[in-house]
Every structure is written in C-alpha cells, then in structure tokens.
Amino acid sequence: EKDLDKYNRAAEVLLAQHHVPILDLPGFTRRLGPMRQLLKDHIHFKDDIVRLQAAFITGCLMNLTSRVVSRRY
C-alpha cells in the first residue's frame, strides 16, 4: 500500500503539471472504511464497494463532461 501511495503522489504531480483532471478513486475508497472491511479477499473489493466506486467515477465523468459541453456553448 505504501508503494501505491507513492505512485499516486507522483502521478498527481505529473497530472497537475499538465492540467489533467484527477479522479481520486483511492482517496474516495479510503474514506469508505478500513481496507480489510472493503475487500472480499486480498485484492478484490466487495460488490457494494464496487458499486460505490462506479457511482463515484460516473459522477466525476459526468461533471467533467458537463464542463466540456458548457465550454463549447
């Protein structure tokens, strides 16, 4: 998990430099509770967590899409 955090921080810096929007799925997921309660095994999230993650991603993409559309008109 420490390696993942290090990678995510490096990616955030790079994306910010190039003005690329960030969907902070790891941050969202961390706020849902302790990782051991979110996983159904050592790597896969429980179905209800996957649905919450999907809703988060959908909301972020809809927000980004609406910004792009509003810039056009």
Side-chain angles (χ1 to χ4, degrees), residues 3-73:
D3 288 340
L4 181 60
D5 289 337
K6 184 177 178 181
Y7 170 82
N8 285 336
R9 283 192 300 277
E12 287 172 7
V13 170
L14 183 63
L15 292 171
Q17 289 173 346
H18 295 280
H19 308 287
V20 176
I22 297 172
L23 307 181
D24 186 13
L25 185 61
F28 171 80
T29 303
R30 259 190 239 104
R31 290 189 296 276
L32 296 176
M35 196 59 67
R36 67 184 177 280
Q37 293 177 0
L38 306 180
L39 297 173
K40 60 182 171 183
D41 55 30
H42 67 284
I43 192 80
H44 298 99
F45 289 102
K46 294 177 181 176
D47 292 343
D48 58 330
I49 301 304
V50 171
R51 283 191 288 277
L52 291 171
Q53 291 171 322
F56 171 77
I57 293 168
T58 300
C60 289
L61 293 175
M62 289 177 69
N63 185 32
L64 288 173
T65 302
S66 68
R67 286 190 215 167
V68 170
V69 170
S70 67
R71 286 184 194 157
R72 287 184 170 175
Y73 300 102

